[in-house]
Short mmCIF file of all heavy atoms in Angstrom, two decimals:
data_model
loop_
_atom_site.label_atom_id
_atom_site.label_comp_id
_atom_site.label_asym_id
_atom_site.label_seq_id
_atom_site.Cartn_x
_atom_site.Cartn_y
_atom_site.Cartn_z
N ALA N 1 6.16 -1.61 12.83
CA ALA N 1 6.11 -1.14 11.44
C ALA N 1 5.81 0.35 11.36
O ALA N 1 5.96 0.95 10.28
CB ALA N 1 5.06 -1.92 10.66
N TYR N 2 5.38 0.95 12.46
CA TYR N 2 5.03 2.37 12.48
C TYR N 2 6.13 3.23 13.11
O TYR N 2 5.92 4.43 13.30
CB TYR N 2 3.73 2.57 13.27
CG TYR N 2 2.51 1.99 12.59
CD1 TYR N 2 2.16 0.65 12.76
CD2 TYR N 2 1.69 2.78 11.79
CE1 TYR N 2 1.04 0.11 12.15
CE2 TYR N 2 0.56 2.25 11.18
CZ TYR N 2 0.24 0.90 11.36
OH TYR N 2 -0.87 0.38 10.75
N ASP N 3 7.26 2.64 13.44
CA ASP N 3 8.35 3.43 14.02
C ASP N 3 8.67 4.62 13.14
O ASP N 3 8.74 4.49 11.91
CB ASP N 3 9.60 2.56 14.21
CG ASP N 3 9.49 1.65 15.43
OD1 ASP N 3 8.61 1.90 16.28
OD2 ASP N 3 10.28 0.69 15.52
N ASP N 4 8.88 5.77 13.76
CA ASP N 4 9.07 7.00 13.00
C ASP N 4 10.19 6.89 11.97
O ASP N 4 10.03 7.30 10.81
CB ASP N 4 9.37 8.15 13.97
CG ASP N 4 8.13 8.58 14.74
OD1 ASP N 4 7.19 7.77 14.86
OD2 ASP N 4 8.11 9.72 15.23
N LYS N 5 11.32 6.35 12.39
CA LYS N 5 12.47 6.26 11.48
C LYS N 5 12.16 5.38 10.29
O LYS N 5 12.51 5.71 9.15
CB LYS N 5 13.69 5.73 12.23
CG LYS N 5 14.96 5.74 11.41
CD LYS N 5 16.17 5.30 12.24
CE LYS N 5 17.45 5.32 11.40
NZ LYS N 5 18.62 4.87 12.19
N LEU N 6 11.49 4.27 10.53
CA LEU N 6 11.14 3.35 9.45
C LEU N 6 10.17 4.00 8.47
O LEU N 6 10.31 3.86 7.24
CB LEU N 6 10.54 2.08 10.04
CG LEU N 6 10.26 0.92 9.08
CD1 LEU N 6 11.56 0.42 8.46
CD2 LEU N 6 9.55 -0.22 9.81
N GLN N 7 9.19 4.73 8.99
CA GLN N 7 8.23 5.42 8.14
C GLN N 7 8.91 6.49 7.29
O GLN N 7 8.58 6.68 6.12
CB GLN N 7 7.11 6.02 8.98
CG GLN N 7 6.13 5.00 9.52
CD GLN N 7 5.26 4.40 8.44
OE1 GLN N 7 4.71 5.08 7.59
NE2 GLN N 7 5.14 3.07 8.47
N GLU N 8 9.86 7.20 7.88
CA GLU N 8 10.57 8.24 7.14
C GLU N 8 11.41 7.65 6.02
O GLU N 8 11.58 8.27 4.96
CB GLU N 8 11.45 9.04 8.10
CG GLU N 8 10.66 9.92 9.06
CD GLU N 8 11.52 10.52 10.15
OE1 GLU N 8 12.74 10.22 10.17
OE2 GLU N 8 10.99 11.26 10.99
N GLU N 9 11.94 6.45 6.24
CA GLU N 9 12.78 5.80 5.23
C GLU N 9 11.94 5.25 4.07
O GLU N 9 12.36 5.34 2.91
CB GLU N 9 13.57 4.65 5.87
CG GLU N 9 14.66 5.10 6.82
CD GLU N 9 15.32 3.92 7.53
OE1 GLU N 9 14.82 2.77 7.36
OE2 GLU N 9 16.31 4.13 8.25
N LYS N 10 10.78 4.70 4.36
CA LYS N 10 10.01 3.99 3.35
C LYS N 10 8.92 4.81 2.69
O LYS N 10 8.59 4.59 1.52
CB LYS N 10 9.38 2.74 3.98
CG LYS N 10 10.37 1.64 4.32
CD LYS N 10 9.64 0.38 4.76
CE LYS N 10 10.59 -0.78 4.94
NZ LYS N 10 9.87 -2.04 5.28
N ASN N 11 8.34 5.75 3.45
CA ASN N 11 7.15 6.45 2.96
C ASN N 11 7.35 7.95 2.87
O ASN N 11 8.35 8.49 3.34
CB ASN N 11 5.95 6.11 3.84
CG ASN N 11 5.59 4.62 3.76
OD1 ASN N 11 5.84 3.97 2.75
ND2 ASN N 11 5.02 4.09 4.83
N ILE N 12 6.39 8.62 2.28
CA ILE N 12 6.53 10.06 2.02
C ILE N 12 5.56 10.86 2.89
O ILE N 12 4.57 10.34 3.41
CB ILE N 12 6.26 10.38 0.53
CG1 ILE N 12 4.80 10.07 0.17
CG2 ILE N 12 7.22 9.61 -0.36
CD1 ILE N 12 4.40 10.55 -1.22
N GLU N 13 5.86 12.14 3.05
CA GLU N 13 4.95 13.05 3.72
C GLU N 13 3.87 13.47 2.72
O GLU N 13 4.16 13.86 1.60
CB GLU N 13 5.69 14.28 4.23
CG GLU N 13 6.62 13.99 5.40
CD GLU N 13 7.17 15.27 6.00
OE1 GLU N 13 6.45 16.30 5.97
OE2 GLU N 13 8.32 15.26 6.48
N CYS N 14 2.63 13.39 3.15
CA CYS N 14 1.52 13.71 2.26
C CYS N 14 0.77 14.95 2.76
O CYS N 14 0.99 15.41 3.89
CB CYS N 14 0.56 12.52 2.17
SG CYS N 14 1.30 11.04 1.44
N VAL N 15 -0.12 15.44 1.94
CA VAL N 15 -0.91 16.62 2.29
C VAL N 15 -2.15 16.17 3.04
O VAL N 15 -2.99 15.45 2.49
CB VAL N 15 -1.31 17.40 1.03
CG1 VAL N 15 -2.14 18.62 1.41
CG2 VAL N 15 -0.08 17.81 0.25
N PRO N 16 -2.30 16.56 4.31
CA PRO N 16 -3.48 16.13 5.08
C PRO N 16 -4.77 16.72 4.51
O PRO N 16 -4.76 17.75 3.84
CB PRO N 16 -3.20 16.70 6.48
CG PRO N 16 -1.73 17.00 6.51
CD PRO N 16 -1.37 17.37 5.11
N GLY N 17 -5.87 16.01 4.79
CA GLY N 17 -7.18 16.54 4.47
C GLY N 17 -7.66 16.31 3.06
O GLY N 17 -8.72 16.83 2.68
N GLN N 18 -6.91 15.55 2.26
CA GLN N 18 -7.35 15.26 0.91
C GLN N 18 -6.89 13.87 0.50
O GLN N 18 -5.86 13.40 0.94
CB GLN N 18 -6.84 16.31 -0.09
CG GLN N 18 -5.32 16.36 -0.22
CD GLN N 18 -4.85 17.48 -1.13
OE1 GLN N 18 -5.30 18.62 -1.01
NE2 GLN N 18 -3.96 17.16 -2.05
N TYR N 19 -7.68 13.23 -0.35
CA TYR N 19 -7.31 11.90 -0.83
C TYR N 19 -6.01 11.96 -1.62
O TYR N 19 -5.73 12.94 -2.31
CB TYR N 19 -8.41 11.32 -1.73
CG TYR N 19 -9.73 11.08 -1.04
CD1 TYR N 19 -10.90 11.71 -1.48
CD2 TYR N 19 -9.82 10.21 0.04
CE1 TYR N 19 -12.12 11.48 -0.86
CE2 TYR N 19 -11.04 9.98 0.67
CZ TYR N 19 -12.18 10.62 0.22
OH TYR N 19 -13.38 10.40 0.84
N PHE N 20 -5.22 10.90 -1.51
CA PHE N 20 -3.95 10.81 -2.24
C PHE N 20 -4.19 9.94 -3.48
O PHE N 20 -3.98 8.74 -3.46
CB PHE N 20 -2.87 10.22 -1.34
CG PHE N 20 -1.50 10.19 -1.97
CD1 PHE N 20 -1.14 11.08 -2.97
CD2 PHE N 20 -0.56 9.27 -1.54
CE1 PHE N 20 0.12 11.06 -3.52
CE2 PHE N 20 0.71 9.24 -2.10
CZ PHE N 20 1.06 10.14 -3.09
N ILE N 21 -4.66 10.60 -4.55
CA ILE N 21 -4.99 9.90 -5.78
C ILE N 21 -3.71 9.78 -6.61
O ILE N 21 -3.02 10.77 -6.87
CB ILE N 21 -6.05 10.66 -6.60
CG1 ILE N 21 -7.27 11.01 -5.71
CG2 ILE N 21 -6.47 9.84 -7.81
CD1 ILE N 21 -8.01 9.83 -5.19
N GLN N 22 -3.40 8.55 -7.05
CA GLN N 22 -2.18 8.31 -7.82
C GLN N 22 -2.54 7.72 -9.17
O GLN N 22 -3.31 6.77 -9.26
CB GLN N 22 -1.25 7.37 -7.06
CG GLN N 22 -0.85 7.91 -5.68
CD GLN N 22 0.10 7.00 -4.95
OE1 GLN N 22 1.20 6.73 -5.42
NE2 GLN N 22 -0.31 6.54 -3.78
N GLY N 23 -1.98 8.30 -10.21
CA GLY N 23 -2.23 7.83 -11.56
C GLY N 23 -1.29 6.71 -11.95
O GLY N 23 -0.70 6.03 -11.11
N GLY N 24 -1.14 6.54 -13.25
CA GLY N 24 -0.27 5.49 -13.76
C GLY N 24 -1.02 4.19 -13.97
O GLY N 24 -2.22 4.08 -13.69
N SER N 25 -0.30 3.19 -14.45
CA SER N 25 -0.92 1.89 -14.73
C SER N 25 -1.19 1.14 -13.43
O SER N 25 -0.63 1.46 -12.38
CB SER N 25 0.01 1.06 -15.62
OG SER N 25 1.20 0.73 -14.91
N ASP N 26 -2.05 0.13 -13.53
CA ASP N 26 -2.39 -0.66 -12.35
C ASP N 26 -1.17 -1.35 -11.75
O ASP N 26 -1.12 -1.60 -10.55
CB ASP N 26 -3.44 -1.72 -12.70
CG ASP N 26 -4.81 -1.11 -12.96
OD1 ASP N 26 -5.01 0.06 -12.57
OD2 ASP N 26 -5.66 -1.79 -13.55
N SER N 27 -0.19 -1.67 -12.59
CA SER N 27 0.99 -2.41 -12.12
C SER N 27 2.09 -1.50 -11.57
O SER N 27 3.08 -1.99 -11.03
CB SER N 27 1.56 -3.26 -13.26
OG SER N 27 1.95 -2.44 -14.34
N GLU N 28 1.91 -0.19 -11.70
CA GLU N 28 2.93 0.76 -11.25
C GLU N 28 2.92 0.87 -9.73
O GLU N 28 1.86 1.01 -9.11
CB GLU N 28 2.67 2.13 -11.87
CG GLU N 28 3.73 3.17 -11.55
CD GLU N 28 3.46 4.49 -12.26
OE1 GLU N 28 2.93 4.43 -13.39
OE2 GLU N 28 3.75 5.54 -11.68
N GLU N 29 4.11 0.79 -9.11
CA GLU N 29 4.18 0.85 -7.65
C GLU N 29 3.72 2.21 -7.14
O GLU N 29 4.09 3.25 -7.68
CB GLU N 29 5.62 0.58 -7.18
CG GLU N 29 5.75 0.51 -5.67
CD GLU N 29 7.12 0.05 -5.21
OE1 GLU N 29 7.67 -0.88 -5.82
OE2 GLU N 29 7.64 0.63 -4.24
N LYS N 30 2.89 2.17 -6.12
CA LYS N 30 2.34 3.40 -5.55
C LYS N 30 3.12 3.82 -4.31
O LYS N 30 3.68 3.00 -3.59
CB LYS N 30 0.86 3.19 -5.16
CG LYS N 30 -0.01 2.61 -6.24
CD LYS N 30 -0.04 3.43 -7.51
CE LYS N 30 -1.04 2.85 -8.50
NZ LYS N 30 -0.78 3.19 -9.89
N LYS N 31 3.11 5.13 -4.10
CA LYS N 31 3.74 5.67 -2.91
C LYS N 31 2.77 5.58 -1.72
O LYS N 31 1.56 5.59 -1.90
CB LYS N 31 4.17 7.11 -3.14
CG LYS N 31 5.21 7.27 -4.23
CD LYS N 31 5.55 8.72 -4.48
CE LYS N 31 6.59 8.87 -5.59
NZ LYS N 31 6.91 10.29 -5.86
#
């Protein structure tokens, strides 16, 4: 599940060193 290609397809690059806080409603899909 951690294969590089799979991660690039499904997930995003984030900013290291800080929490990834996401807004929106509780039912909204998170990245």
Side-chain angles (χ1 to χ4, degrees):
Y2 292 85
D3 283 343
D4 287 22
K5 186 176 180 181
L6 187 62
Q7 286 290 313
E8 290 170 358
E9 290 174 353
K10 289 188 173 184
N11 296 332
I12 65 171
E13 290 189 32
C14 297
V15 180
Q18 64 185 47
Y19 296 121
F20 185 25
I21 309 296
Q22 302 181 60
S25 66
D26 289 344
S27 61
E28 185 177 326
E29 185 172 318
K30 309 302 185 204
K31 297 177 181 179

